[in-house]
Amino acid sequence: MTEPSTITSVLVANRGEIACRVFRTCRELGMSTVAVYSDADADALHVREADTAVRLPGAAPSETYLRGDLVVEAALAAGADAVHPGYGFLSENADFARQVVDAGLVWIGPPPEAIEAMASKTRAKELLGIAPLTDVTEADLPVLVKAAAGGGGRGMRIVRELDQLEGESAAASAEALSAFGDGEVFVEPYVENGRHVEVQLLCDTHGTAWALGTRDCSLQRRHQKVVEEAPAPGLPAALEASLLDTAVRAAKAVGYVGAGTVEFLVADGRAQFLEMNTRLQVEHPVTEEVFGVDIVALQLAVAEGRALPPEPPAPRGHAIEARLYAEDPARAWAPQTGVLHLFELPGEGRTRLDTGYASGDTIGVHYDPMLAKVIVHAPTRAEAVRKLARALERARIHGPVTNRDLLVASLRHPGFADPGLLDTGFYDRNLDALTEPRTGGEHAAVAAALAEAAARRSRFGGGWRNLRSQDETRTYGGHEVRYRPTRDGGFEVTAPEGVQAVSADPGRVRLEVAGVVRDFDVAAYGDGIVHAGSHRLTVHPRFTDPREQTAPGSLLAPMPGTVVRVADGLAVGDRVTAGQPLLWLEAMKMEHRVIAPASGTLTALHAAPGRQVEVGALLAVVSDDATTEAAQEDQTV
């Protein structure tokens, strides 16, 4: 049993949204807060929100947030008496937990022995009598290569061809080592269409173990959760009871203390154990909303040695959470960077925002691209889904591309409305339809063009002339807009047809389309991006800069990042085939393959391991056969 202690100051050994989340609870409990930060996070929101902050020199996680010795030194230097690990980084590292305890600090988490027993997925399976695959054969395919430590979809690879197993295992191991400091991976059967269901646990040092219901986290991309909800809808009562019982038994078997989660894959009415996360989960807010508790506050109480009540509160209603990412789902989920000019959610309604960003912050390349979690609670699932979709739709998110439109479309998709259709293959089946351009983009382009014209008029004067002038032409987001000023100081839209300008000011435009009037708030920024209503539009220049033209077959960096490796033996002059991986970029803690766009000859290679690249940087050139032959003919002539 843990000796009673009083926590007065908490250091969060993490960053971003989770650090801000813990700080909020600490303030409510009268505890002071300490942040640690890398050089890349010097101006981050979690640093601004903490009472005290300690710098960890460097930018890469391996130099900063994964250095347990530096984190402990920071806690002691700042006078903290407790360390909360958050999630990710060192949160499931038993050696770090021991470092904290050996330094005389309170560890807000499970005992190191429980972490060792369950934080490694391989050891957890052994504890429960589940053996990983060792000698994989064709009959075992498809399989999943999976990092033994950590989570969040990092260090995972689906393997469908046996000759790919070695290469994908090496890639998963390298990614796991970079993200978690542990490169161990294992292989397990891959279930194509199962539901990802988990149980939230909370255990004290007095023998009480709460199972706080179930969560469904089936909507995933790259094995990372996107939408989560509680309770998991549509589970048979007997299966739900079995999941809760198994989770509690697993926790008691290792003497678990604190918050944790047991995850299952449910298919054909049966549950397969996946892992136990010995930490707080990203999706914990939906459980908090349903049970009316603050899990972080309960973590702190347990760490102080206090007892939980014998039974948890009764659940009520339904909660759902969407993870808002700076990424482009239509471009293979490519992470995005840049200035987040404006970040606001609608004020009405009971919408919860957990975030590590605010308007004006910069989204960098070093960490996960999650901007925020948006959470709502309602009496029923249908009401919660509707409220969340509407809150996201009305959010003002100006800056890099995000997955906001995908989230709204997902929540309103028939395959999500019916719990019987939920499974982890949702995006594999529906991504193309969900990322189709939204209707109304051409009207948003009109609003952007008229707002720009109104801004020019306010700055420089001018307007209608007695002699009819030519139409002004602008292109936004691929939509061409033509208009001319009118005698009464307004504008006449000549293309697209059927659009009338009711009023136009630099920041707000009112349009009438087929008798329906709609207002657009318009904001333009110096990076060539205009936001009109909820549409993000790229400004197209009237003339193309010849310097921006690239040779056919050029492979450009899809995001800023670091070249981590180049295909073995790859050299200029080699023949390559369409789809062949040429090199790997690491950005925002994920590896991204750069593949040959067509079969041909590698005529240029500008990438080397360790090279830092900006978005749009030329990495390589693959000339297809026709281009190569034409070039040879030119040289001959």
Side-chain angles (χ1 to χ4, degrees):
M1 183 180 299
T2 301
E3 291 295 323
S5 58
T6 300
I7 296 173
T8 60
S9 179
V10 177
L11 178 143
V12 178
N14 220 290
R15 64 175 301 279
E17 168 265 326
I18 180 55
C20 294
R21 162 73 182 91
V22 176
F23 292 161
R24 185 173 67 243
T25 291
C26 288
R27 285 195 299 268
E28 292 172 355
L29 296 175
M31 300 175 182
S32 63
T33 57
V34 181
V36 289
Y37 65 93
S38 69
D39 291 340
D41 276 340
D43 297 320
L45 182 62
H46 78 277
V47 179
R48 304 197 298 268
E49 294 230 334
D51 296 315
T52 307
V54 181
R55 173 179 176 246
L56 304 177
S62 60
E63 302 172 316
T64 54
Y65 299 107
L66 287 171
R67 285 286 303 274
D69 57 335
L70 297 183
V71 174
V72 170
E73 289 176 11
L76 295 173
D81 48 28
V83 172
H84 191 296
Y87 36 70
F89 295 130
L90 294 168
S91 61
E92 294 180 281
N93 188 303
D95 290 338
F96 176 57
R98 288 194 179 95
Q99 284 180 288
V100 171
V101 174
D102 290 346
L105 301 167
V106 176
W107 168 248
I108 305 171
E113 296 75 20
I115 296 176
E116 286 176 329
M118 284 295 188
S120 168
K121 300 173 181 66
T122 52
R123 286 188 284 275
K125 287 178 179 288
E126 290 171 3
L127 185 67
L128 296 177
I130 304 170
L133 289 173
T134 51
D135 299 319
V136 180
T137 67
E138 291 280 356
D140 298 315
L141 298 175
V143 296
L144 183 67
V145 180
K146 196 171 184 180
R154 301 178 188 91
M156 287 190 189
R157 298 290 189 280
I158 300 171
V159 178
R160 302 183 187 278
E161 303 291 338
L162 200 57
D163 60 1
Q164 297 176 354
L165 180 60
E166 183 177 354
E168 295 291 12
S169 295
S173 177
E175 188 175 20
L177 182 63
S178 173
F180 314 121
D182 185 344
E184 181 188 354
V185 297
F186 66 97
V187 179
E188 67 182 11
Y190 179 66
V191 179
E192 296 279 5
N193 297 308
R195 287 180 62 183
H196 188 117
V197 178
E198 58 192 34
V199 175
Q200 174 70 60
L201 291 168
L202 195 67
C203 308
D204 64 16
T205 58
H206 303 269
T208 299
W210 283 1
L212 290 170
T214 59
R215 294 190 291 251
D216 189 292
C217 310
S218 296
L219 262 64
Q220 303 179 2
R221 55 93 167 114
R222 289 180 169 172
H223 315 292
Q224 191 170 43
K225 302 158 190 173
V226 176
V227 176
E228 302 110 343
E229 57 184 309
L235 288 181
L239 177 59
E240 182 176 5
S242 174
L243 297 179
L244 299 177
D245 179 68
T246 300
V248 170
R249 285 192 292 107
K252 290 188 173 183
V254 295
Y256 197 80
V257 174
T261 302
V262 178
E263 301 191 351
F264 302 90
L265 191 64
V266 174
D268 300 323
R270 294 174 300 190
Q272 171 186 322
F273 172 83
L274 288 178
E275 61 185 300
M276 181 175 183
N277 290 288
T278 55
R279 56 175 169 83
L280 196 64
Q281 291 280 90
V282 179
E283 57 272 21
H284 75 273
V286 292
T287 299
E288 292 183 323
E289 295 296 320
V290 168
F291 282 85
V293 297
D294 182 331
I295 293 178
V296 172
L298 292 170
Q299 283 185 296
L300 293 165
V302 167
E304 289 183 321
R306 287 185 271 160
L308 295 170
E311 298 293 334
R316 56 182 182 81
H318 198 93
I320 186 164
E321 167 184 297
R323 300 191 194 186
L324 190 63
Y325 286 99
E327 66 183 11
D328 189 348
R331 292 179 50 235
W333 312 97
Q336 307 291 298
T337 60
V339 178
L340 188 63
H341 297 290
L342 182 65
F343 188 27
E344 293 179 354
L345 254 68
E348 72 275 10
R350 192 168 180 270
T351 302
R352 171 174 166 180
L353 179 69
D354 285 10
T355 183
Y357 289 92
S359 298
D361 286 349
T362 298
I363 304 164
V365 302
H366 298 285
Y367 311 111
D368 187 278
M370 188 174 78
L371 298 180
K373 304 177 309 193
V374 185
I375 310 107
V376 299
H377 178 268
T380 68
R381 181 178 189 264
E383 291 176 84
V385 170
R386 183 178 64 204
K387 286 176 61 178
L388 180 57
R390 183 59 176 155
L392 288 166
E393 187 175 51
R394 296 192 60 227
R396 301 173 71 194
I397 309 167
H398 293 182
V401 174
T402 72
N403 67 334
R404 184 265 301 278
D405 294 342
L406 174 80
L407 293 173
V408 174
S410 301
L411 294 167
R412 291 174 174 167
H413 191 277
F416 184 77
D418 183 352
L421 300 178
L422 284 177
D423 63 57
T424 56
F426 179 84
Y427 285 125
D428 293 335
R429 296 188 300 272
N430 301 307
L431 185 61
D432 288 345
L434 291 169
T435 54
E436 288 180 352
R438 291 183 299 150
T439 60
E442 66 277 16
H443 302 146
V446 173
L450 299 188
E452 179 195 9
R456 286 201 310 272
R457 174 185 290 169
S458 66
R459 288 197 302 268
F460 307 117
W464 180 83
R465 296 180 180 179
N466 193 35
L467 294 175
R468 184 181 179 91
S469 60
Q470 291 185 332
D471 288 353
E472 288 278 351
T473 302
R474 293 287 188 272
T475 302
Y476 295 89
H479 302 286
E480 185 179 83
V481 180
R482 295 198 301 272
Y483 64 91
R484 65 173 67 98
T486 61
R487 184 191 298 267
D488 60 3
F491 298 96
E492 177 188 357
V493 179
T494 57
E497 296 181 355
V499 180
Q500 297 182 44
V502 178
S503 62
D505 295 307
R508 190 174 182 83
V509 173
R510 172 169 287 186
L511 301 178
E512 181 179 331
V513 182
V516 178
V517 175
R518 183 179 174 190
D519 290 328
F520 291 83
D521 290 320
V522 182
Y525 300 98
D527 52 7
I529 300 299
V530 175
H531 292 264
S534 61
H535 290 265
R536 179 186 185 276
L537 306 169
T538 303
V539 180
H540 291 250
R542 297 193 211 180
F543 305 102
T544 302
D545 187 339
R547 294 172 299 178
E548 296 179 358
Q549 297 179 354
T550 57
S554 295
L555 301 179
L556 307 180
M559 75 285 292
T562 303
V563 179
V564 290
R565 58 193 178 103
V566 176
D568 291 341
L570 187 68
V572 173
D574 287 354
R575 288 279 302 168
V576 298
T577 58
Q580 176 183 336
L582 304 181
L583 56 101
W584 286 258
L585 280 179
E586 184 180 87
M588 295 181 171
K589 300 172 71 174
M590 296 289 285
E591 274 194 2
H592 306 269
R593 294 192 305 175
V594 177
I595 64 174
S599 296
T601 302
L602 184 70
T603 55
L605 180 62
H606 301 288
R611 179 189 168 194
Q612 300 278 335
V613 297
E614 295 298 322
V615 62
L618 181 63
L619 302 174
V621 179
V622 175
S623 298
D624 61 26
D625 295 333
T627 303
T628 303
E629 291 173 4
Q632 291 172 345
E633 290 176 3
D634 289 342
Q635 291 174 358
T636 302
V637 174

